[in-house]
Every structure is written in C-alpha cells, then in structure tokens.
Amino acid sequence: MSSSKIDPHVLKTALVLAVGVMAVVFDTTIVSVALHTLAHELGTTVATIQWVTTGYLLALGVSVPLSTWALGRFGGKRVWMFALAVFLLGSLGSSLAWDVGSLIGWRVVQGIGGGLMLPVMATLVFQAAKGKALGRTATWVALPALLGPILGPLIGGAIVTNLSWRFMFWVNVPFCVAGLILAGLYLAKDAVPATRPRLDVWGLVLLAPGIAAIVLALSNAGGAAGFNQTDVIAPLVIGVVLLVAFTLYALRRSEPLVDIRLLAVRSVGSSSSVLFLSGFALYGAMLLLPLYYMEVRGTSALAAGLILVPQGIGTLISRQIAGPLTDRLGARSIAAVGFVIVAAATVPFSFVSATSSDWLLALWLLVRGIGLGAVTMPVMTAAYVGLQHEQVAHSSVLTRIAQQVGGSFGTAVLAVILQYALTAGGATDLVGAFHIAFWWATGFAVVAMVLCAWLPGRRQVAEAAAAAAGPAAQEVTPARA
C-alpha cells in the first residue's frame, strides 16, 4: 500500500498550476449567476445570452482533445503558459466587450484556453507523481474545483449587486498573471522530444465536432420541449455518429489523437464511467439546489450562493480525509461511501417546503458536501492507477470528456424532469416538482454507487504503488482488469 507523503516537487507543481486554473474555475461559477444581469445590461434576450455559456462550453469541448498532441509536440510548460495566455486574452476581451456578439466571441477564446488548461494540469501533476501517493496528489489537483463553487457564486453575486458586470472578467486577470509568472519560474523546463508527433487531423475532425455537437444538444434540452425538439435531436445524433466514427477510426491507428483503447484498462474505463454517471447525481443536483432557493424560497442569486457555502465547506473537509484513504484502500470503497452520503443528504430536499428550517437544510448541505469530496478524490485518482507515463495525458482527456459530457447530460436530464413535473408529470405545485427532481437525483447517486464496484480496489492500488516504488517507476504496467 502507498503510505508515502506527496513529493515536494509534485506539491510545488500542483500549487503553481492551481493558481492559474483558479481563473477558469472562478470564471465558470461567477458567470453562471450573472446571465440575467448580462441580458439586461446588453439589451438582449435570455436565450441569446445563454450563448455566453454555450459558446464557452463548445470551445472547451473542442480544445480538450488537442492537449495530448500539444503536450507531445511542444511540452507541458509551453502548452500551459500558452493556454493561460489565451485565457487571459479572452478575459480581457470579455471585460471590454461592446455588445453581446463580441462577448460571446471572447468567451469562445476563453474556452479554447480553458479547454487546454484543465487536462494539461492533471497530466503534468500526475506525471510528476510517477504513480506514487495518487490520492494525496488528487487533493491538490481538485482544490480549485472545490473552491470554485464556494467562492465563485459569492464573488459573482457581489459584483452583480454592487459593480459593473465587466468586473466579473477582471477577477480572472490576477490569477492569470500570477499563474504565468509562477509557471515561468517554477515549472520544469520542457525536455526536447525524441520525436515530434504529427497532429491526427482526421481524429480531430471527428472527435472535436462530435463533443461540441453533443454539448450543444444538451445545452438546448432545458426548454419546455426537453429532448423532443429538432435543435436537440439533430446535433445529438450528429455528435453520437461522429464519436462512433472516431472510435472506429482510432482503434485502427497506432497513435490516435486520443487513445480510446485505454478505456479497456480497468482504472480508466471505470473512472470514466463513474465520472459520466456522477454528472447526473452531482452536477444535475447543482442545478436544482440554487433554483430551489431562488424559485421556491425567493432568495437572490447572491443569497443562494451564500446558502450553498456549507456544501463547499463539507467538500473541503472530506478532501483531506479521502485522498490519503484512497492511497491505502483504493477508490472503490471510498467513492461508494461518498455516493451513499450524497444520496442520503439529497433525500431531505425531496421533502422540503418553502418554510423548512434554513439551519437544518444547511446541515444537510454540509453533509452532502462531505459526500461530494469523498467521491471526487477517489474517482479522479482511479483514472491514473497503474498507467505508463505517456498514457497519463490520454487518460486526462478521456476522463475530462466523460466528466464534461456527463455533467451536461445530468444537468439537461434533471432540467427536463423538473419541467415535466411542472407540466405533465402530475406535480400539483412548484415545490412538488422539485421534490420529484430531487428524488431522481437521489436515484442517480444510488446507481453511481453501484457502478463504483468496478473501480480499482486495495489490491490494484498496492500493485501500482509497488511498481511505482521500483527502479522503473515510469515503466508501470497497467493494472489488471
């Protein structure tokens, strides 16, 4: 078993990269609470302003697959600093946008930078870890994602309430500038590659539009018609066809853009599956919770952000426990317990009323956050158990795609369930509709808990740790299925 502490070099790398990626995480959560304000300030409709988010997500999905080729071609430090500079440029452009069209365009630029940064951060940190103390390493990789839901809505709500919307994008600038300086000073220099990989153009042509089409379809599925509309069905079918075509194409190539064959490795396949399904249990519920407080209890966006802080605190608390335990016990048991806690803490929201105790709900949010942290750490760690050095970048992309598409699917499905409960599902009032949607979120968490049985357990972690501790630390054999 791995009981070693995280290597200081790995910790330094994680902290340097975390500073830059905080800009991406804060940006996403801050903008999400300000769409109605943006629509009013820019004199456009809510449907149009949604493209501020949709355009960003589409660009994110398109650029994620490029990270594997870019890392091999240019090196991690160069790619990281380039991506961070692109995100900084997009942030400055967004803050100076003169109309809704220019804002959407600059958000696309941000998405390109952010789409590269997220998998590159995971790749660089886990490559530096060389298979050792992966659970402890994951606690630092996930830190920005845990802080974002706590501080992002608060910062966004405060800016919307007291300042111009343009300051939402200026929040990113200090993180980007500091991240560039720290990366230039402290990230290891890129080694000269023995061979420079060629870009798999056909793979990119199939995979990137496929992801974008699916994300676009799911972004359109939140309306009254749900999935039963042309602008959902058409891109969804196109996206699935392109992904199937990419899979068949990649299986025949020796060096595809993204090595789809890694899904046959237990660690990667299981974590990708759980990450996809967790989008229903975790991200979908993250749509329901603020909506419940704003629509049922009449709170403002800022107040809803404040109310959800206990959930973020709970996630931070369990982060310190789940990482070391994952190194000892494997991802399977820890993630399963996490999903049980998430499900149990979601059930009370299936019975709430407009007058339920705020303090009691805050307590359940704290417990739910503890469950979220217990899920996030092990599943992220599982994706890298027993992988060879060059496989880490491909695993980062596969798990990132699974997480993004699963989150979009989960959000869309629960939005449709809520809408159906309000119209044709038999709910007599708004509160009843939320009860139905929260029951579905609970059910998805239970299903994800069952799927955790496929994740690596104690034996796989022990084997990978023993191999990583040997003289050939970077020639680790993939974990057995």
Side-chain angles (χ1 to χ4, degrees), residues 386-429:
L387 294 187
Q388 297 176 8
H389 186 267
E390 65 273 10
Q391 293 175 320
V392 172
H394 292 272
S395 180
S396 296
V397 172
L398 288 170
T399 51
R400 178 63 200 173
I401 291 173
Q403 188 175 34
Q404 182 181 1
V405 175
S408 298
F409 244 118
T411 301
V413 167
L414 281 177
V416 170
I417 289 172
L418 180 62
Q419 185 66 37
Y420 180 80
L422 283 170
T423 55
T428 57
D429 55 17

XYZ file of all heavy atoms in Angstrom, residues 386-429:
312
model
N -1.718 2.728 -12.125
C -1.029 1.746 -12.943
C -0.748 2.152 -14.372
O -0.417 1.303 -15.194
N -0.865 3.440 -14.705
C -0.642 3.864 -16.090
C 0.825 4.174 -16.349
O 1.555 4.603 -15.464
C -1.482 5.108 -16.409
C -3.001 4.956 -16.425
C -3.634 6.245 -16.931
C -3.447 3.783 -17.282
N 1.246 3.960 -17.589
C 2.565 4.372 -18.003
C 2.588 5.885 -18.187
O 1.557 6.532 -18.349
C 2.951 3.672 -19.306
C 3.048 2.155 -19.185
C 3.325 1.488 -20.507
O 3.590 2.154 -21.509
N 3.250 0.159 -20.523
N 3.792 6.446 -18.182
C 3.981 7.892 -18.221
C 3.260 8.513 -19.411
O 2.554 9.529 -19.270
C 5.475 8.200 -18.291
C 5.808 9.654 -18.206
N 5.952 10.449 -19.318
C 6.031 10.466 -17.124
C 6.245 11.686 -18.933
N 6.305 11.717 -17.615
N 3.396 7.925 -20.596
C 2.814 8.520 -21.800
C 1.306 8.317 -21.886
O 0.631 8.965 -22.686
C 3.483 7.948 -23.056
C 3.238 6.468 -23.282
C 4.255 5.595 -22.546
O 5.011 6.137 -21.717
O 4.269 4.372 -22.807
N 0.748 7.424 -21.061
C -0.691 7.182 -21.083
C -1.466 8.194 -20.252
O -2.686 8.328 -20.407
C -0.992 5.771 -20.564
C -0.500 4.661 -21.467
C -0.723 3.296 -20.842
O -0.527 3.106 -19.639
N -1.135 2.336 -21.654
N -0.785 8.909 -19.371
C -1.456 9.821 -18.444
C -2.204 10.916 -19.192
O -3.336 11.268 -18.847
C -0.435 10.417 -17.451
C -1.082 11.524 -16.609
C 0.128 9.331 -16.556
N -1.583 11.483 -20.235
C -2.229 12.567 -20.983
C -3.522 12.089 -21.630
O -4.538 12.806 -21.628
C -1.276 13.111 -22.038
N -3.527 10.878 -22.183
C -4.729 10.346 -22.809
C -5.821 10.089 -21.773
O -7.004 10.338 -22.019
C -4.399 9.060 -23.564
C -3.521 9.271 -24.760
N -4.032 9.566 -26.010
C -2.180 9.266 -24.894
C -3.032 9.711 -26.866
N -1.900 9.540 -26.215
N -5.433 9.589 -20.605
C -6.415 9.375 -19.540
C -7.024 10.690 -19.081
O -8.228 10.765 -18.797
C -5.756 8.665 -18.358
O -6.687 8.447 -17.318
N -6.197 11.743 -19.008
C -6.712 13.060 -18.611
C -7.794 13.536 -19.568
O -8.823 14.086 -19.147
C -5.564 14.079 -18.569
O -4.616 13.750 -17.590
N -7.580 13.333 -20.870
C -8.560 13.775 -21.864
C -9.822 12.922 -21.783
O -10.949 13.447 -21.802
C -7.951 13.710 -23.277
C -9.029 13.971 -24.332
C -6.838 14.736 -23.420
N -9.671 11.601 -21.695
C -10.842 10.722 -21.651
C -11.715 11.015 -20.441
O -12.950 11.100 -20.553
C -10.387 9.263 -21.629
C -9.802 8.722 -22.938
C -9.172 7.347 -22.713
C -10.873 8.642 -24.021
N -11.107 11.182 -19.275
C -11.894 11.445 -18.077
C -12.493 12.850 -18.109
O -13.610 13.061 -17.610
C -11.032 11.270 -16.816
O -9.816 12.026 -16.946
C -10.681 9.811 -16.611
N -11.777 13.800 -18.700
C -12.317 15.152 -18.810
C -13.533 15.180 -19.728
O -14.539 15.825 -19.428
C -11.232 16.103 -19.337
C -11.699 17.541 -19.527
C -12.110 18.164 -18.216
N -12.976 19.310 -18.426
C -13.599 19.964 -17.461
N -13.457 19.571 -16.207
N -14.374 20.998 -17.719
N -13.470 14.451 -20.838
C -14.606 14.379 -21.751
C -15.792 13.707 -21.066
O -16.939 14.168 -21.159
C -14.222 13.620 -23.033
C -13.224 14.448 -23.864
C -15.461 13.309 -23.881
C -12.658 13.706 -25.046
N -15.519 12.599 -20.369
C -16.594 11.897 -19.661
C -17.252 12.800 -18.628
O -18.481 12.816 -18.475
C -16.034 10.639 -18.985
N -16.433 13.579 -17.921
C -16.966 14.473 -16.894
C -17.792 15.599 -17.515
O -18.877 15.930 -17.019
C -15.818 15.048 -16.074
C -16.252 15.837 -14.850
C -15.063 16.277 -14.029
O -13.995 16.585 -14.547
N -15.218 16.304 -12.722
N -17.281 16.174 -18.619
C -17.986 17.289 -19.234
C -19.306 16.849 -19.855
O -20.353 17.471 -19.644
C -17.112 17.948 -20.297
C -17.781 19.156 -20.960
C -16.915 19.786 -22.030
O -15.818 19.324 -22.314
N -17.401 20.847 -22.646
N -19.256 15.757 -20.627
C -20.481 15.278 -21.280
C -21.461 14.758 -20.233
O -22.672 15.003 -20.321
C -20.144 14.190 -22.315
C -21.426 13.606 -22.908
C -19.275 14.765 -23.426
N -20.954 14.038 -19.225
C -21.838 13.546 -18.170
C -22.487 14.679 -17.393
O -23.675 14.617 -17.064
N -21.702 15.731 -17.102
C -22.279 16.879 -16.411
C -23.346 17.567 -17.232
O -24.401 17.961 -16.708
N -23.096 17.715 -18.546
C -24.096 18.326 -19.429
C -25.341 17.458 -19.517
O -26.475 17.955 -19.497
C -23.497 18.529 -20.826
O -22.400 19.414 -20.785
N -25.136 16.140 -19.626
C -26.272 15.218 -19.681
C -27.082 15.287 -18.391
O -28.320 15.363 -18.407
C -25.775 13.783 -19.890
C -26.211 13.189 -21.199
C -25.282 12.808 -22.141
C -27.550 12.998 -21.479
C -25.654 12.272 -23.351
C -27.948 12.452 -22.682
C -26.998 12.086 -23.629
N -26.384 15.229 -17.251
C -27.089 15.244 -15.977
C -27.888 16.508 -15.767
O -29.036 16.475 -15.307
N -27.285 17.653 -16.109
C -27.983 18.926 -15.972
C -29.207 18.977 -16.870
O -30.292 19.405 -16.449
C -27.029 20.086 -16.321
O -25.900 20.037 -15.454
C -27.727 21.423 -16.156
N -29.048 18.519 -18.131
C -30.165 18.544 -19.075
C -31.286 17.605 -18.633
O -32.467 17.958 -18.682
C -29.674 18.167 -20.471
N -30.932 16.404 -18.196
C -31.940 15.418 -17.803
C -32.738 15.908 -16.600
O -33.985 15.830 -16.589
C -31.273 14.063 -17.507
C -32.241 13.126 -16.795
C -30.784 13.423 -18.796
N -32.064 16.434 -15.588
C -32.803 16.895 -14.414
C -33.595 18.163 -14.711
O -34.664 18.379 -14.124
C -31.843 17.127 -13.247
C -31.416 15.841 -12.534
C -30.415 16.127 -11.435
C -32.615 15.100 -11.957
N -33.106 18.997 -15.623
C -33.901 20.158 -16.037
C -35.172 19.710 -16.737
O -36.262 20.273 -16.513
C -33.076 21.057 -16.970
N -35.069 18.680 -17.581
C -36.245 18.144 -18.276
C -37.203 17.493 -17.274
O -38.429 17.658 -17.369
C -35.816 17.133 -19.355
C -37.027 16.381 -19.909
C -35.085 17.849 -20.487
N -36.655 16.752 -16.320
C -37.505 16.128 -15.297
C -38.263 17.186 -14.500
O -39.472 17.045 -14.235
C -36.647 15.250 -14.358
C -36.166 14.004 -15.105
C -37.441 14.852 -13.115
C -35.156 13.180 -14.321
N -37.578 18.257 -14.124
C -38.232 19.336 -13.384
C -39.325 19.979 -14.223
O -40.445 20.222 -13.727
C -37.195 20.380 -12.977
C -37.705 21.593 -12.197
C -38.306 21.167 -10.866
C -36.579 22.602 -11.970
N -39.026 20.237 -15.498
C -40.009 20.845 -16.382
C -41.203 19.920 -16.589
O -42.360 20.356 -16.589
C -39.355 21.176 -17.728
C -40.254 21.927 -18.700
C -40.607 23.316 -18.202
O -39.796 23.982 -17.592
N -41.837 23.755 -18.442
N -40.948 18.629 -16.766
C -42.021 17.655 -16.963
C -42.908 17.569 -15.725
O -44.142 17.493 -15.824
C -41.424 16.291 -17.275
C -42.452 15.207 -17.494
C -43.118 15.091 -18.710
C -42.757 14.300 -16.479
C -44.064 14.104 -18.909
C -43.711 13.311 -16.667
C -44.356 13.207 -17.892
O -45.302 12.237 -18.077
N -42.271 17.592 -14.542
C -43.045 17.535 -13.302
C -43.951 18.743 -13.148
O -45.038 18.652 -12.567
C -42.099 17.426 -12.112
N -43.526 19.883 -13.697
C -44.328 21.105 -13.604
C -45.499 21.101 -14.566
O -46.523 21.743 -14.321
C -43.449 22.324 -13.885
C -42.525 22.783 -12.752
C -41.563 23.836 -13.257
C -43.343 23.317 -11.589
N -45.362 20.382 -15.686
C -46.382 20.461 -16.734
C -47.211 19.191 -16.859
O -48.420 19.220 -16.670
C -45.716 20.772 -18.084
O -44.700 19.790 -18.367
C -45.075 22.150 -18.062
N -46.553 18.069 -17.149
C -47.319 16.854 -17.454
C -47.093 15.721 -16.471
O -47.657 14.647 -16.627
C -46.957 16.369 -18.867
N -46.257 15.956 -15.474
C -45.882 14.858 -14.592
C -46.759 14.669 -13.377
O -46.527 13.771 -12.587
N -47.733 15.498 -13.164
C -48.642 15.297 -12.064
C -48.320 16.087 -10.808
O -49.047 15.986 -9.816
N -47.234 16.835 -10.798
C -46.925 17.659 -9.624
C -47.940 18.797 -9.521
O -48.276 19.439 -10.505
C -45.520 18.226 -9.726
N -48.449 19.004 -8.323
C -49.505 19.999 -8.150
C -48.970 21.407 -7.952
O -49.709 22.364 -8.101
C -50.379 19.625 -6.932
O -49.531 19.523 -5.777
C -51.054 18.280 -7.170
N -47.713 21.548 -7.622
C -47.164 22.873 -7.411
C -45.662 22.844 -7.662
O -45.075 21.801 -7.963
C -47.463 23.357 -5.986
C -46.966 22.378 -4.921
O -46.121 21.514 -5.245
O -47.412 22.494 -3.768
